[in-house]
Amino acid sequence: MGKLSAYPVRIAPPNPFVMRLVSAALLLLYASGALLLWMGLSESASYLNPKLQAKLLLVGLLSANALVLHWVSFPRLVRRGRRLTPLNLHDACGVAAPVALSNCLWMYCAFLGIARPWNQGVTMSEVLLVGALLFALSFASVLVVLTLASRARPRGKPDWVDSLKGRLGALGAALGT
């Protein structure tokens, strides 16, 4: 929070260690998911319920999105001489959409893994609709963060961005961040 209060903010892409960590987590997700799927299907064909089908689809989307993040979005963050601003909608959405999708899908897929009451109680479209709503909320949140981060200096007459940056700075100082 304290970092977002600074003028300007640099949003750095993940370093190689973090990229290896995320890759390992994704491989672990595949391996454990395949094992659980194999064990469940060996017990009953009904194991592949609509919630699980939706989760498999979302994990595939998460995997494809990881490629977009690393090949498209992160390079946009490190380009020299180009600021990421809300006025440049192409750049803002090119970063915000995959970042938001990654953040919400990691958490939502983890939730789906423990949401036992949903196994027979929801349709695939309901699971995907909740995922779409979470993505919309995440996308809006990431756009706000990018808006805060893109402000190079305070405006002469403070607006909502400057006000929110000030509040975040005060909160960050109080929390020691």
Side-chain angles (χ1 to χ4, degrees), residues 35-129:
L35 180 62
L36 288 171
L37 187 60
W38 176 72
M39 289 171 38
L41 287 174
S42 67
E43 287 182 22
S44 170
S46 67
Y47 182 76
L48 195 58
N49 58 59
K51 180 198 81 168
L52 184 55
Q53 291 173 25
K55 182 177 177 179
L56 292 171
L57 180 67
L58 293 172
V59 167
L61 180 60
L62 178 66
S63 301
N65 187 60
L67 298 175
V68 172
L69 275 170
H70 292 284
W71 290 344
V72 178
S73 300
F74 294 154
R76 281 187 173 150
L77 290 174
V78 296
R79 284 187 192 150
R80 303 243 184 246
R82 288 189 70 192
R83 280 191 28 228
L84 187 65
T85 67
L87 299 177
N88 187 341
L89 191 58
H90 182 264
D91 274 351
C93 290
V95 171
V99 167
L101 191 60
S102 179
N103 287 329
C104 80
L105 283 184
W106 274 103
M107 299 309 292
Y108 189 49
C109 287
F111 164 76
L112 289 173
I114 62 169
R116 302 281 185 257
W118 284 22
N119 285 353
Q120 304 303 328
V122 296
T123 66
M124 186 174 178
S125 59
E126 290 170 329
V127 173
L128 295 176
L129 177 63

